[in-house]
Amino acid sequence: MLDVARLRVLLAVARKGSLTEAAKELHYSQPSVSHHLARLEAETGAKLIQRAGRGIRLTEAGRLLAERAADIIERLDATAEELAAHVGLRSGRVRLASFPSALGTFIPKAATLLADAHPGLRLQLTEVEPPEALRLLRAGRVDVAVIFRYDDTAPEDNGLHLVHLLDDPSYLLAADEPGAPAGHAGSSWIAGCDRCRSHLLDVCAKAGFEPRIGFTSDDIVAVQALVAAGLGVTLLPGLALAAHRHPEVRVREVPGSVRHVYAAVYGEPPHPPATQALLTALTQSL
């Protein structure tokens, strides 16, 4: 069985590219680092590092082991944090990944509620779109992923537990009175992330046309500036408009166009205490 302490040494060497710098990071002596690496090579039967000038670099076997070790240690650290959180949630951490407009609207309130209820619990935030948030969740690198999906979005993975947070209506944005999507069959459109782009195509298809997409951007500030300049029209959800609203953009709600916002966790309840505390804060923030 591989020794976790030696795996941590290998990761430090991979990050630093130097035995001396790895020793400093780990508060080990350099001979101790060399000893751990030698023992790890003996355990695996593979040469893991090689000299490169004054430094060192990982062999192909070393890089493979370091990549696997990063996932293993991440999960071990997460488990240790969860166990610490069991003691009255007086310590530990909980990790949240979310898309930008949620981070710009209700998540700060949720963070405040969580801090008030559990001052010793440390919240870590990561801004990513739903597919990447779910990848982080599957890898055990976050505990909760706030995501959105449309009715036409492909089903999520088995094993996910989704807590419904809110339904977020879509709005058509234009420099002048927007009207309905069908009135913009000849307009240039601005598309967002893959999931939003797919929904835009679906809305336009239901209106009887295929949109001509002139620009693509996930930045709601840039998108609205383009619309205000008359360079195109777009669809944006209500949370995005709550996070930022350009004063020269006109909006109209698109009936029947709604995205569903969820907090995703892996596995069915009961959830770890820190995860449940975060889910409670999220639902209370709305």
Side-chain angles (χ1 to χ4, degrees):
M1 183 179 295
L2 297 177
D3 185 281
V4 173
R6 291 168 189 154
L7 292 177
R8 291 186 187 275
V9 170
L10 179 65
L11 282 178
V13 171
R15 284 193 300 269
K16 297 298 184 178
S18 160
L19 297 181
T20 301
E21 294 303 316
K24 290 179 181 178
E25 178 180 293
L26 296 168
H27 304 291
Y28 287 178
S29 66
Q30 184 173 326
S32 180
V33 169
S34 298
H35 173 75
H36 279 299
L37 289 175
R39 293 294 300 162
L40 190 57
E41 288 185 330
E43 289 175 351
T44 60
K47 185 171 181 59
L48 302 176
I49 63 171
Q50 60 188 35
R51 295 287 175 181
R54 294 186 176 182
I56 61 169
R57 64 184 180 186
L58 299 186
T59 64
E60 185 175 347
R63 288 193 296 272
L64 175 63
L65 182 57
E67 289 173 1
R68 299 294 185 269
D71 291 337
I72 292 167
I73 289 173
E74 183 79 23
R75 285 186 175 274
L76 285 173
D77 288 345
T79 300
E81 294 283 2
E82 289 176 1
L83 289 174
H86 271 277
V87 187
L89 292 177
R90 291 190 295 271
S91 63
R93 68 174 178 180
V94 63
R95 300 160 301 171
L96 172 67
S98 175
F99 56 94
S101 58
L103 284 171
T105 50
F106 64 88
I107 285 180
K109 181 178 179 181
T112 299
L113 291 171
L114 184 66
D116 289 344
H118 306 288
L121 190 60
R122 182 163 44 95
L123 175 63
Q124 293 182 351
L125 298 174
T126 301
E127 179 186 310
V128 287
E129 294 295 340
E132 176 65 9
L134 292 174
R135 190 189 71 79
L136 294 174
L137 184 64
R138 286 193 298 270
R141 295 182 178 178
V142 298
D143 305 295
V144 178
V146 173
I147 65 169
F148 64 84
R149 64 186 322 278
Y150 295 94
D151 291 335
D152 56 340
T153 302
E156 311 298 350
D157 294 349
N158 292 331
L160 283 182
H161 177 73
L162 299 180
V163 178
H164 181 256
L165 297 178
L166 63 104
D167 290 328
D168 192 14
S170 297
Y171 293 83
L172 180 61
L173 279 67
D176 299 314
E177 176 56 39
H184 292 278
S187 300
S188 176
W189 287 77
I190 304 166
C193 70
D194 289 345
R195 194 164 285 201
C196 296
R197 183 190 186 100
S198 177
H199 179 64
L200 168 62
L201 294 175
D202 182 67
V203 168
C204 292
K206 290 177 179 176
F209 70 96
E210 181 178 346
R212 176 171 57 87
I213 296 176
F215 300 95
T216 299
S217 175
D218 293 335
D219 187 333
I220 60 174
V221 176
V223 167
Q224 292 186 53
L226 291 170
V227 172
L231 297 175
V233 298
T234 193
L235 290 181
L236 280 184
L239 285 179
L241 291 172
H244 172 77
R245 175 71 180 272
H246 194 292
E248 297 176 18
V249 164
R250 307 286 293 276
V251 306
R252 174 173 288 191
E253 185 173 348
V254 179
S257 176
V258 175
R259 70 176 182 177
H260 312 289
V261 180
Y262 298 93
V265 295
Y266 246 108
E268 295 297 320
H271 304 300
T275 299
Q276 185 58 55
L278 177 54
L279 290 175
T280 299
L282 287 168
T283 56
Q284 290 176 347
S285 69
L286 298 166

